[in-house]
Amino acid sequence: MASSGKRDVTIEKSEVVARAYRKIMDGRKDDLSRDEEAAVKQHEKQKEERLRWQYYETIPQKHWRSMSGRQAKILNEQASRYGIPFGGANVSLPKVVRALHDFLADNKHKLARDDDDLLSGPASPALERYREERALLARLVRLEREGELLPRDLVRLSLAKTAALIRAAGETLQKQFGDTAAELLYDAIEDAESEIERFFTQRHSAEAPVDVVD
């Protein structure tokens, strides 16, 4: 009885969807009832979900190459070496994901181990400095990924653009208030540029770490 009732509901929903699509095909979308609109929306959502999983199962190799940034030869070698199935003409994403996480689980101890032999030597000032440099490098990489680390060249470019905008404003001042006002502004810009150049030159000559601009 329960199975029969469920089947009747499914048939009824199908009829509502069919009726709604007939109205849409006839150009009478505005005539859809609330139930018909809900049925169409649910039907489209289920269709999208079904197609999504279908596409997951058959990703063309050329799309995988584009996403991975690797050539087919490299992908085939990696698939063979690590047992992750992305080397065929079509790639099944569910199978790749399962194989990837199986690989991570099977190799968790190996992946967690630090293979840098220099870190396992006897304690010494040189080893301590090396560890500090490694920690600093890791911090710089993290800051760069977080968008907190700005290269000097990028900072200089930004400041140069800012100076150009201020110089343009100086031309307006010159027209309205004369050469004296503009010269004061230009002198201030030149002083600022000299100070910035001096700052970066001193930092570079001292071999200081890359500046972090907060």
Side-chain angles (χ1 to χ4, degrees), residues 55-56 58-71 75 86 91-93 96:
Y55 296 146
Y56 285 163
T58 55
I59 299 176
Q61 176 63 222
K62 65 178 182 179
H63 291 177
W64 194 268
R65 291 199 304 270
S66 177
M67 290 186 290
S68 66
R70 302 293 189 275
Q71 297 179 354
L75 290 174
F86 46 55
V91 179
S92 170
L93 184 59
V96 168

Side-chain angles (χ1 to χ4, degrees), residues 55-142:
Y55 296 146
Y56 285 163
E57 289 285 356
T58 55
I59 299 176
Q61 176 63 222
K62 65 178 182 179
H63 291 177
W64 194 268
R65 291 199 304 270
S66 177
M67 290 186 290
S68 66
R70 302 293 189 275
Q71 297 179 354
K73 179 182 178 181
I74 301 299
L75 290 174
N76 289 331
E77 290 176 352
Q78 291 178 340
S80 177
R81 181 181 300 115
Y82 302 114
I84 301 178
F86 46 55
N90 291 299
V91 179
S92 170
L93 184 59
K95 292 180 180 179
V96 168
V97 172
R98 175 61 62 87
L100 173 61
H101 286 280
D102 287 345
F103 174 83
L104 294 175
D106 293 341
N107 295 274
K108 59 182 179 181
H109 297 299
K110 184 184 296 185
L111 294 172
R113 187 174 66 246
D114 196 330
D115 293 330
D116 192 337
D117 294 335
L118 294 177
L119 292 176
S120 58
S124 67
L127 177 59
E128 187 61 28
R129 288 195 300 271
Y130 179 71
R131 287 173 174 169
E132 291 175 356
E133 289 296 324
R134 287 255 310 192
L136 175 60
L137 180 60
R139 176 174 177 269
L140 294 178
V141 171
R142 176 179 60 80

Side-chain angles (χ1 to χ4, degrees), residues 7 22 35 60 93 96 119 148 173 185 204:
R7 184 167 57 251
R22 282 196 297 270
D35 290 342
L93 184 59
V96 168
L119 292 176
E148 296 293 334
L173 288 175
L185 180 61
H204 181 70

Side-chain angles (χ1 to χ4, degrees), residues 162-189:
T162 302
L165 293 173
I166 298 175
R167 289 183 187 279
E171 295 177 359
T172 302
L173 288 175
Q174 185 177 25
K175 293 177 182 179
Q176 294 184 2
F177 303 104
D179 294 340
T180 302
E183 288 176 0
L184 288 173
L185 180 61
Y186 293 149
D187 289 343
I189 293 175

